[in-house]
Amino acid sequence: GSVLFLGGNEVKSSAVVKYSSAPPQAAFARLQEKTDLKLPPANWLRESAKLGPAGTTILGNNKKSKPFSSFGMAYDFIDSVGNDVDVVSDSENIKKLLKIPYSKSHVSMAVHRIGRTLLLDELDIQELFMRSSQTGDWTWLKEFYQRLIDQKWQRKKKSKEHWYQKAILSKFLYYSINGDGAAQPVPSTSKQHQEGPVSGESDEAGRASWPAPFEMPSSLSEDPGASNQGSVPLEPSYIVGHVASAPKEQNLTTLFNDGENSQGLKNDFVRNILWTFEDIHMLVGSNMPIFGGGRYPAVSLRLRDNNKPINVLTGIDYWLDNLICNVPELVMCFHVNGIVQKYEMIKTEDIPNLENSNFSTKVIKDIAQNILSFLKSNCTKEGHTYWLFKASGSDIVKLYDLTTLCEETEDKYQNPFTMPVAILLYKVACNMMLKKNQNKKHYGTIRTLLLNCLKLLDNGRHPQIIASANYMLSELFQLDEPKKEDSTDFPINGNSDESYSEEEEEMPDSDENGSYSNSSDPPDDNKAVAVIKSVGELSVPEKYKSVHRIRPSCAFPVCHGTEERCRLVLNYVLEGLKCVDSSVKKEGDLPAADPSTPIPLKYEDESTSGGPECLEKQMALFLDKMGSFQKGKHSSQSGMIPGSWQYKMKLQLILKSSKAYYVLSDAAMILQKYGRALRYIKLALQCHDTYCCLCASMLPEVLVFLCQCLTLCGDIQLMLAQNANNRAAYLEEYNYQTKEDQEILHSLHRESRCQVFAWATDLSTDLECQLSVSCKCYEAAYEILLFSNLKNQNPEQRIQVLKRMGNIRNEIGVFYMNQAAAVQTERVGNKNVSTTEQQLWKKSFSCFEEGIQNFESIDDATNAALLLCNTGRLMRICAQAHCATEGDFKREFSPEEALYYNKAIDYYLKALRSLGKRDVHPAVWDSVNWELSTTYFTMATLQQDYAPLSRKAQEQIEKEVSEAMMKSLKYCDVDTVSARQPLCQYRAATIHHRLASMYHSCLRNQVGDEHLRKQHRVLADLHYSKAVRLFQLLKDAPCEFLRVQLERVAFAEFQMASQNSTAGKLKTLFGALDIMAKTKGAFQLIRKELVAESEQISKDKSSAETVSPNDSSTGLNKEEVLKLLSIFESRMSFLLFQSIKLLTSTKKKIGGINEEEVVLKTNKQVYSLLLRATANKSMTLLERIEVILNLLEQLTQNNEAVNGGIQ
């Protein structure tokens, strides 16, 4: 639990025990007065759970923490490192730092920065140099130390008094847990035990705790026993994406020569405590024995010599120990020459006020804050080992960067901290990656940790960590994200306290923080990174502020665009692959997998129904079908052992590169760089080839991804087919390759050269081939979804694939259909349909059919309707192919034509049924209606123009034509405003015109009885008037309008011939003249177009360009106009002549003598003008039209009078 202590000067402190190996607190035994502590108790030096390591090590080196003790803690509490904890250290080191201003003794500590956390460890220079003289390591530091700090370096021996005090304390603690105060007899060896080992043990313990500089063992022994020796294996690897990434690190014990407790990398403190002192958060290791039995739940027990008063240093020691361990009371046992005198109890908060030892807790707080700020400001480079040093009796504290010093002199691996620091950086990064809820703002920090980790490692020595770190770096870049997030996700500047630029040089300290130029310093001391000129400064509140004068570099690099992001990913993947490849030597050199250890392959996921064996078989069959895959050959050519870390890591890296290439391909596709897109998807599928060869069973996610790759490949092949005109440019893009891509391919080919998907990525020049490859890609993708049972888990993917399959089958169907149409047009003179054509129809038809099934299976009514519509078009092409073209005999509409047109109609009706109603997709609905209308119209027209009289009666044919025309009208929508509206209006007008002509023709041919002829007359009149109304709406069909009006005049003439009364004849005549007058609008349109054309010609002449009149922008057919004009003139002349004749001969008044005379006069006048005009052969077309317009104008003025007069 956490208790808040408020010392006399209001200092905040709280402690939470994160881990404790101590048993429940036992009450301490109060020793009787006069107990002789010089006599050993019976249980002395036996291992005791109550004392933990404290009892046995007090004789040895309880004050001496192991050189890597903070790393052991950091490994155990990886969550705290780099983030919310400021300091990780042994409590002894923290006490030593906080006592600097009060103590004369020397301080020597190694400082490492991980993120915003500092790790502090004792750096025992004397131990180090003892080792150096034996092994020759660290000589550079020894020379540096002698030159700079202590010229006459020699090992200081511990005094006899020192060992005497230690022995008494040890015995006192054993008596306190023993329970009875009497001294018990001890084994006779006790004397040697007391004297002998005591002095030696310290040396041994110290020596064993120092590691040799890192060297790779000649062979990695993966001895299962090694793991019991306190090694720290990496956490079960961090798993991101699809498969386990960094597998368990080979036991770190084997990474060090000295197996002794993995050289202190083990966290062997009795307690790990999260101690918050003011605003400083520390993870502290403590071995202080804690007892029950006082007035409080916990007390600490101390032994004091009554003759020596307690001093400030001891007071601070006791106070800090109790604060760190949350102990509210201190029990002191006083002795004289080893004889117990009395006990005294002191509350923790009273310790600072003891006689002879009072100190200000506020000052201790200031010292803590100053030291932390000093270290944070100056230990800025992650992965560097800093050395904080204060010589004995000196007031100056110096900070050196040992990594830089070491690199200046020797190999960086001479620094024994290199490996633990690298592993810690790696583990912290792993831990941050694992947190699924991590905001992306941490990506910058993770990246910095990993890059710094990589700087410390050597490829030959630590391939596994390097490969893992590179893989994690590649994982930081989210490949499947929209680009716009780049700028928002990663802050440009991170929290200034998180991580620092490794590149930028530090600026010298300002004077306030101690300066470099200190005249009293030896001249050589420019080696120090920073200096505290006097320890007294540490007591000044906020003397050292944590000012970071360095640009933080934990900002994540902002990638401009997908391409750059993928290239970064591939760069890291390549580094990882190189690492794996270089570590895979010949098979003989590799350690055999331990048969007793199961390989935790995450790929063997049995969640898929039917078990993995079933899926494996299916996959093998699928691959066999796809390409040159050697069955049952899932092995690596390079000799990688399945299940080894190399094997797992390589699979991960291959998959990552495949994803990067996929994203690059997709991006190129969006930019319409189809050659580049094909090259990238080829690389992605080559990665899959290797993956399939290495790994028999695949995770569902990998299969889904393979499915996506094949789908994209199909898309690209389709786009290449549709953009054949750019083929040269695409080929150039396709053949280009970067060095990086070549190196990745080389790494893939080390494992296998099987080319399962090679067929999918060839750049073909043949359109049919491209379309069929595209189709095969989609089919393969769909097959994967089917056999892996993923279609239910990935409905969206299934829909996408089926949609594309339907689409490509439509494309291929249309391709064959167009080929058939081309063959048909080339077929001249030969009326028989060739087998080539029939084959093409069959192919086209089966493609459409499959496509329709695809769309129907995903309820895509719109696309199914479009394919049904295309099938209808195919049927019409078949019908056209069967029309007899020979000129020898009269052509008739054949039964085959009728059959195919009716089939076409069936498909169009099916398409309409598929859609259901127009709202589903108005454009498609309108399109199908139009095609249906066209089919009926074509069929009716052919039947009308090439009547099959040899097979059917005239009446039957007319009936069928009439029905077909009316159906065509039904599906021809003239009212909806759309781009197609004028076409529909024209079609409807034409249908009415044709029907009117047909009924007109029936009348002339005297078909049927009187009743039927009357009906025909009414229908002809009705359809003519509808045709006129529709042609009038159109502004671009003056000729058609004229023709209909002329036919109506002819119809009137035909009626007039059968009339007997003059009045009736006159009425019909005036009706016919009225029809003629109404053609004025058509002639005006024709005039307008002719004028525009002549202007265009004159303009072209002026710009010295001769353009033939046929190139005119207007669509006027002059021959047609001339023909119609001649007919018009002759009919007009005839009608006027007849009217003059009738009006002159008649005696009947037409409503007053004046009116009749006016009409007669006008008609005579118009008639004479018309005769003169037609007689003049030199008039141009335009002039003739002007004359007609003028005459029509005159006629129109009299029309009203006539209409009023003739009843």
Side-chain angles (χ1 to χ4, degrees):
S2 78
V3 181
L4 193 66
F5 281 115
L6 295 170
N9 309 58
E10 298 288 306
V11 173
K12 294 194 201 82
S13 164
S14 69
V16 179
V17 177
K18 300 283 277 188
Y19 162 84
S20 171
S21 63
Q25 286 150 12
F28 68 93
R30 206 178 251 265
L31 304 187
Q32 293 165 2
E33 229 175 289
K34 309 292 182 207
T35 301
D36 187 351
L37 295 176
K38 293 194 287 296
L39 297 174
N43 62 348
W44 191 40
L45 298 184
R46 291 184 191 157
E47 275 197 32
S48 158
K50 293 178 187 174
L51 286 180
T56 46
T57 52
I58 278 175
L59 280 177
N61 56 346
N62 88 317
K63 294 282 172 179
K64 208 180 242 93
S65 57
K66 294 193 174 170
F68 295 121
S69 61
S70 70
F71 288 88
M73 272 192 284
Y75 290 161
D76 282 357
F77 298 99
I78 206 82
D79 265 357
S80 310
V81 179
N83 223 352
D84 41 6
V85 168
D86 296 295
V87 176
V88 177
S89 185
D90 182 343
S91 59
E92 297 300 323
N93 295 335
I94 287 172
K95 292 192 296 188
K96 194 177 270 188
L97 282 180
L98 297 187
K99 291 189 294 190
I100 284 179
Y102 300 93
S103 163
K104 291 285 176 201
S105 62
H106 90 294
V107 174
S108 170
M109 283 186 204
V111 185
H112 294 92
R113 169 190 277 284
I114 306 287
R116 50 162 290 186
T117 304
L118 297 176
L119 275 67
L120 306 178
D121 292 282
E122 181 171 4
L123 190 59
D124 188 332
I125 288 291
Q126 298 191 345
E127 288 295 346
L128 208 59
F129 295 163
M130 284 286 288
R131 180 179 186 90
S132 173
S133 50
Q134 290 166 8
T135 61
D137 305 325
W138 289 85
T139 44
W140 59 275
L141 186 58
K142 188 172 177 180
E143 287 164 11
F144 171 72
Y145 179 86
Q146 288 177 327
R147 186 175 73 243
L148 212 57
I149 294 146
D150 183 357
Q151 285 80 4
K152 313 177 289 301
W153 174 79
Q154 61 191 45
R155 185 162 175 76
K156 296 180 176 64
K157 285 266 190 262
K158 295 269 178 20
S159 66
K160 209 159 184 182
E161 172 64 15
H162 171 82
W163 297 117
Y164 166 71
Q165 291 298 342
K166 280 200 166 233
I168 276 192
L169 173 58
S170 174
K171 291 170 195 172
F172 165 66
L173 287 174
Y174 274 96
Y175 274 121
S176 298
I177 61 167
N178 199 21
D180 66 11
Q184 293 185 0
V186 289
S188 57
T189 54
S190 66
K191 275 286 176 225
Q192 308 158 5
H193 204 24
Q194 185 179 349
E195 300 302 325
V198 165
S199 54
E201 192 174 334
S202 141
D203 286 6
E204 281 309 307
R207 203 163 309 151
S209 69
W210 263 104
F214 181 86
E215 277 167 29
M216 192 68 166
S218 51
S219 72
L220 283 178
S221 71
E222 295 206 355
D223 167 23
S227 62
N228 303 333
Q229 303 183 0
S231 66
V232 183
L234 288 188
E235 292 307 308
S237 74
Y238 120 81
I239 295 161
V240 184
H242 295 289
V243 203
S245 82
K248 271 200 171 187
E249 185 57 46
Q250 55 264 61
N251 284 337
L252 287 183
T253 325
T254 59
L255 293 179
F256 294 92
N257 280 355
D258 188 346
E260 175 80 26
N261 260 354
S262 190
Q263 313 180 353
L265 278 177
K266 186 177 166 210
N267 177 6
D268 51 9
F269 291 104
V270 176
R271 272 175 220 83
N272 298 126
I273 297 150
L274 202 54
W275 180 40
T276 307
F277 184 58
E278 282 295 312
D279 55 350
I280 304 169
H281 303 286
M282 293 178 260
L283 181 61
V284 182
S286 166
N287 287 327
M288 181 175 80
I290 299 176
F291 297 89
R295 291 167 294 181
Y296 293 98
V299 296
S300 57
L301 202 53
R302 303 286 183 172
L303 183 65
R304 293 293 310 158
D305 189 332
N306 216 356
N307 299 330
K308 294 179 183 165
I310 192 167
N311 62 13
V312 173
L313 292 175
T314 313
I316 293 174
D317 231 23
Y318 292 173
W319 181 67
L320 288 173
D321 265 335
N322 277 14
L323 278 192
I324 291 169
C325 292
N326 230 349
V327 175
E329 192 173 33
L330 165 68
V331 174
M332 275 205 270
C333 173
F334 291 93
H335 73 101
V336 175
N337 292 330
I339 309 295
V340 174
Q341 301 293 315
K342 59 172 180 174
Y343 278 82
E344 196 177 308
M345 295 202 173
I346 303 157
K347 283 185 180 172
T348 301
E349 59 260 41
D350 296 337
I351 298 174
N353 306 320
L354 288 178
E355 198 182 341
N356 297 327
S357 113
N358 29 9
F359 58 91
S360 158
T361 56
K362 205 98 174 158
V363 171
I364 301 287
K365 177 206 76 170
D366 291 334
I367 294 168
Q369 287 172 333
N370 279 327
I371 287 178
L372 182 68
S373 296
F374 173 75
L375 290 176
K376 279 208 165 181
S377 299
N378 297 298
C379 302
T380 51
K381 296 182 180 178
E382 244 175 1
H384 280 226
T385 299
Y386 291 90
W387 178 32
L388 185 72
F389 181 77
K390 176 175 99 69
S392 189
S394 163
D395 259 4
I396 300 169
V397 182
K398 294 175 185 172
L399 185 72
Y400 298 97
D401 181 346
L402 290 189
T403 305
T404 312
L405 292 173
C406 174
E407 280 166 356
E408 285 170 12
T409 52
E410 302 183 42
D411 167 16
K412 66 179 171 186
Y413 301 105
Q414 283 288 325
N415 176 354
F417 284 103
T418 301
M419 194 57 194
V421 172
I423 289 173
L424 186 56
L425 288 165
Y426 173 78
K427 289 185 76 162
V428 172
C430 276
N431 184 59
M432 287 176 117
M433 277 294 260
L434 265 176
K435 291 184 181 163
K436 292 281 178 285
N437 55 353
Q438 279 285 12
N439 192 319
K440 299 215 180 63
K441 70 174 193 290
H442 288 302
Y443 278 13
T445 312
I446 296 171
R447 179 172 171 273
T448 311
L449 287 165
L450 290 170
L451 290 174
N452 287 327
C453 166
L454 287 172
K455 279 187 182 171
L456 297 176
L457 298 172
D458 172 52
N459 213 338
R461 299 173 179 185
H462 325 109
Q464 185 173 1
I465 299 180
I466 293 179
S468 290
N470 275 303
Y471 175 67
M472 277 201 283
L473 281 165
S474 77
E475 275 287 323
L476 288 175
F477 294 86
Q478 296 296 303
L479 291 176
D480 41 11
E481 278 182 358
K483 274 184 294 192
K484 63 178 184 301
E485 293 182 12
D486 279 3
S487 50
T488 53
D489 270 1
F490 308 120
I492 301 302
N493 288 326
N495 170 349
S496 64
D497 203 15
E498 284 204 11
S499 177
Y500 297 85
S501 153
E502 314 79 38
E503 293 81 19
E504 220 167 290
E505 285 304 307
E506 289 83 0
M507 293 154 46
D509 287 350
S510 64
D511 274 345
E512 182 201 3
N513 284 10
S515 144
Y516 284 126
S517 54
N518 194 332
S519 51
S520 63
D521 278 352
D524 222 322
D525 207 33
N526 55 2
K527 298 275 186 207
V529 176
V531 177
I532 297 173
K533 281 189 294 191
S534 161
V535 290
E537 289 180 352
L538 291 172
S539 311
V540 181
E542 295 187 14
K543 170 75 176 171
Y544 291 89
K545 291 194 183 74
S546 183
V547 186
H548 306 298
R549 297 172 304 281
I550 311 164
R551 167 178 61 81
S553 77
C554 68
F556 201 69
V558 176
C559 300
H560 305 292
T562 313
E563 176 116 12
E564 194 182 330
R565 189 162 56 211
C566 292
R567 280 286 156 207
L568 271 169
V569 167
L570 288 168
N571 188 27
Y572 290 128
V573 166
L574 180 58
E575 289 307 311
L577 285 171
K578 282 179 179 168
C579 233
V580 172
D581 291 343
S582 66
S583 78
V584 177
K585 305 191 186 76
K586 292 178 203 72
E587 212 164 326
D589 297 357
L590 279 169
D594 177 13
S596 63
T597 317
I599 296 160
L601 273 185
K602 192 176 171 233
Y603 328 113
E604 291 171 8
D605 187 331
E606 305 209 6
S607 59
T608 51
S609 67
E613 292 82 12
C614 168
L615 185 62
E616 260 180 61
K617 278 183 203 149
Q618 292 271 20
M619 189 69 198
L621 284 171
F622 169 73
L623 294 173
D624 198 39
K625 196 160 109 186
M626 287 296 114
S628 56
F629 183 69
Q630 301 84 24
K631 269 194 196 154
K633 194 164 175 247
H634 290 291
S635 64
S636 133
Q637 291 178 2
S638 67
M640 266 195 320
I641 296 171
S644 63
W645 73 263
Q646 287 101 332
Y647 173 83
K648 295 179 200 169
M649 182 49 68
K650 189 145 190 180
L651 282 178
Q652 287 288 76
L653 290 164
I654 288 171
L655 203 56
K656 189 71 189 178
S657 56
S658 183
K659 278 186 191 159
Y661 284 129
Y662 171 83
V663 173
L664 280 169
S665 178
D666 197 39
M669 179 82 172
I670 292 163
L671 296 172
Q672 297 177 350
K673 302 274 187 195
Y674 303 123
R676 187 196 301 176
L678 187 63
R679 168 164 56 93
Y680 283 136
I681 204 68
K682 181 177 186 171
L683 287 161
L685 285 167
Q686 279 174 320
C687 293
H688 271 291
D689 278 343
T690 307
Y691 192 97
C692 293
C693 288
L694 289 178
C695 184
S697 56
M698 290 205 191
L699 276 178
E701 301 95 291
V702 181
L703 286 173
V704 169
F705 178 53
L706 175 55
C707 180
Q708 286 171 340
C709 287
L710 286 166
T711 308
L712 180 61
C713 188
D715 293 352
I716 294 164
Q717 290 284 14
L718 175 57
M719 294 320 292
L720 286 165
Q722 288 177 350
N723 294 276
N725 48 344
N726 275 353
R727 199 166 270 150
Y730 295 145
L731 191 64
E732 195 178 327
E733 289 171 11
Y734 177 70
N735 289 327
Y736 171 78
Q737 207 166 38
T738 66
K739 183 170 180 289
E740 199 173 52
D741 297 339
Q742 284 165 346
E743 287 182 358
I744 288 175
L745 266 180
H746 172 70
S747 176
L748 295 177
H749 288 154
R750 273 175 60 98
E751 304 312 328
S752 90
R753 288 187 175 273
C754 65
Q755 296 188 317
V756 185
F757 302 109
W759 54 266
T761 51
D762 286 337
L763 183 55
S764 167
T765 50
D766 176 41
L767 183 62
E768 185 178 352
C769 176
Q770 284 175 324
L771 290 171
S772 72
V773 166
S774 174
C775 187
K776 200 177 162 190
C777 285
Y778 298 138
E779 284 166 358
Y782 188 59
E783 199 174 327
I784 291 173
L785 288 178
L786 279 180
F787 77 68
S788 59
N789 206 12
L790 289 168
K791 65 178 192 300
N792 304 328
Q793 297 155 31
N794 293 66
E796 187 51 43
Q797 182 101 2
R798 173 179 168 267
I799 289 170
Q800 285 303 317
V801 173
L802 279 168
K803 234 183 194 151
R804 285 172 159 82
M805 272 165 77
N807 180 50
I808 190 68
R809 283 168 172 164
N810 179 47
E811 291 284 339
I812 297 173
V814 169
F815 171 76
Y816 288 136
M817 180 164 73
N818 291 340
Q819 275 200 321
V823 171
Q824 188 182 304
T825 46
E826 285 163 17
R827 176 163 52 87
V828 185
N830 175 16
K831 69 174 173 50
N832 294 326
V833 177
S834 65
T835 49
T836 315
E837 268 178 275
Q838 288 175 326
Q839 287 297 314
L840 288 167
W841 294 342
K842 278 181 191 161
K843 284 183 183 174
S844 177
F845 182 71
S846 70
C847 285
F848 288 140
E849 220 172 19
E850 287 172 345
I852 291 163
Q853 283 168 4
N854 293 147
F855 285 126
E856 283 175 348
S857 67
I858 54 170
D859 300 326
D860 187 341
T862 311
N863 280 315
L866 280 171
L867 264 76
L868 285 161
C869 198
N870 276 338
T871 318
R873 195 174 131 216
L874 175 67
M875 294 301 123
R876 281 161 60 194
I877 286 174
C878 296
Q880 285 161 21
H882 281 93
C883 72
T885 49
E886 289 209 0
D888 299 351
F889 65 95
K890 186 173 178 299
R891 148 124 166 80
E892 280 191 1
F893 182 65
S894 68
E896 290 85 2
E897 284 178 89
L899 174 77
Y900 281 115
Y901 278 123
N902 281 315
K903 276 189 177 177
I905 287 165
D906 285 345
Y907 281 111
Y908 290 131
L909 290 170
K910 267 189 199 166
L912 288 179
R913 280 200 296 278
S914 169
L915 286 169
K917 53 181 189 290
R918 185 172 187 268
D919 304 352
V920 174
H921 201 297
V924 176
W925 177 268
D926 293 347
S927 174
V928 177
N929 270 308
W930 171 253
E931 294 296 337
L932 189 51
S933 169
T934 307
T935 311
Y936 276 124
F937 178 69
T938 310
M939 200 160 81
T941 310
L942 289 170
Q943 263 181 303
Q944 197 176 4
D945 295 350
Y946 307 104
L949 291 166
S950 63
R951 297 197 318 276
K952 292 179 183 175
Q954 179 74 37
E955 290 87 347
Q956 173 71 16
I957 292 168
E958 281 166 9
K959 185 176 172 231
E960 284 178 12
V961 168
S962 172
E963 280 173 7
M965 287 289 193
M966 291 318 283
K967 280 180 180 164
S968 179
L969 268 178
K970 176 185 166 187
Y971 294 107
C972 184
D973 180 4
V974 290
D975 303 320
T976 308
V977 178
S978 68
R980 203 182 263 124
Q981 193 185 21
L983 273 178
C984 289
Q985 288 171 336
Y986 186 83
R987 158 81 47 81
T990 311
I991 290 171
H992 285 301
H993 178 195
R994 272 187 166 268
L995 282 171
S997 300
M998 185 176 82
Y999 293 128
H1000 186 173
S1001 149
C1002 289
L1003 271 173
R1004 282 181 184 277
N1005 297 335
Q1006 303 291 321
V1007 178
D1009 55 17
E1010 187 55 41
H1011 169 69
L1012 195 60
R1013 294 185 64 218
K1014 191 176 180 185
Q1015 205 178 341
H1016 284 166
R1017 187 181 295 114
V1018 172
L1019 285 169
D1021 204 41
L1022 173 75
H1023 286 298
Y1024 275 134
S1025 58
K1026 283 187 175 177
V1028 166
R1029 186 175 56 79
L1030 285 163
F1031 277 132
Q1032 265 179 317
L1033 290 173
L1034 295 162
K1035 294 280 171 263
D1036 55 356
C1039 294
E1040 287 84 343
F1041 180 68
L1042 265 179
R1043 180 175 283 109
V1044 176
Q1045 293 289 50
L1046 287 170
E1047 275 190 34
R1048 282 180 82 191
V1049 169
F1051 185 57
E1053 286 179 24
F1054 172 70
Q1055 281 177 298
M1056 195 171 71
S1058 63
Q1059 285 173 324
N1060 301 322
S1061 71
T1062 311
K1065 284 189 174 185
L1066 269 174
K1067 186 177 180 182
T1068 310
L1069 263 176
F1070 284 127
L1073 280 168
D1074 187 36
I1075 290 169
M1076 292 217 133
K1078 281 183 180 152
T1079 57
K1080 195 168 75 173
F1083 283 116
Q1084 282 170 339
L1085 276 174
I1086 292 169
R1087 178 181 65 182
K1088 189 175 162 192
E1089 292 200 12
L1090 287 169
V1091 169
E1093 193 179 295
S1094 62
E1095 280 175 3
Q1096 182 69 36
I1097 289 167
S1098 60
K1099 196 200 261 177
D1100 289 345
K1101 277 183 182 164
S1102 67
S1103 61
E1105 283 183 13
T1106 52
V1107 177
S1108 64
N1110 299 346
D1111 292 350
S1112 65
S1113 57
T1114 63
L1116 202 62
N1117 182 345
K1118 283 196 191 159
E1119 281 176 33
E1120 177 87 339
V1121 174
L1122 279 167
K1123 200 157 88 182
L1124 287 170
L1125 187 59
S1126 302
I1127 297 169
F1128 188 88
E1129 285 169 347
S1130 77
R1131 289 347 289 151
M1132 191 176 178
S1133 157
F1134 171 76
L1135 289 175
L1136 285 169
F1137 175 69
Q1138 287 298 326
S1139 70
I1140 292 165
K1141 199 164 113 182
L1142 280 171
L1143 282 169
T1144 312
S1145 66
T1146 183
K1147 302 279 179 274
K1148 190 180 177 212
K1149 292 179 181 166
I1150 310 169
I1153 191 80
N1154 300 338
E1155 270 182 32
E1156 184 187 322
E1157 279 178 6
V1158 170
V1159 171
L1160 188 58
K1161 190 180 166 193
T1162 308
N1163 285 5
K1164 280 180 175 173
Q1165 197 181 335
V1166 170
Y1167 183 58
S1168 83
L1169 285 169
L1170 181 60
L1171 285 176
R1172 268 189 226 135
T1174 48
N1176 183 358
K1177 299 293 178 198
S1178 64
M1179 285 175 80
T1180 64
L1181 180 60
L1182 190 58
E1183 285 166 346
R1184 282 170 70 184
I1185 285 168
E1186 293 282 6
V1187 169
I1188 295 286
L1189 277 169
N1190 188 22
L1191 297 178
L1192 288 176
E1193 185 63 44
Q1194 289 183 40
L1195 272 178
T1196 316
Q1197 285 164 7
N1198 289 304
N1199 262 7
E1200 293 85 25
V1202 177
N1203 289 342
I1206 298 175
Q1207 293 303 324

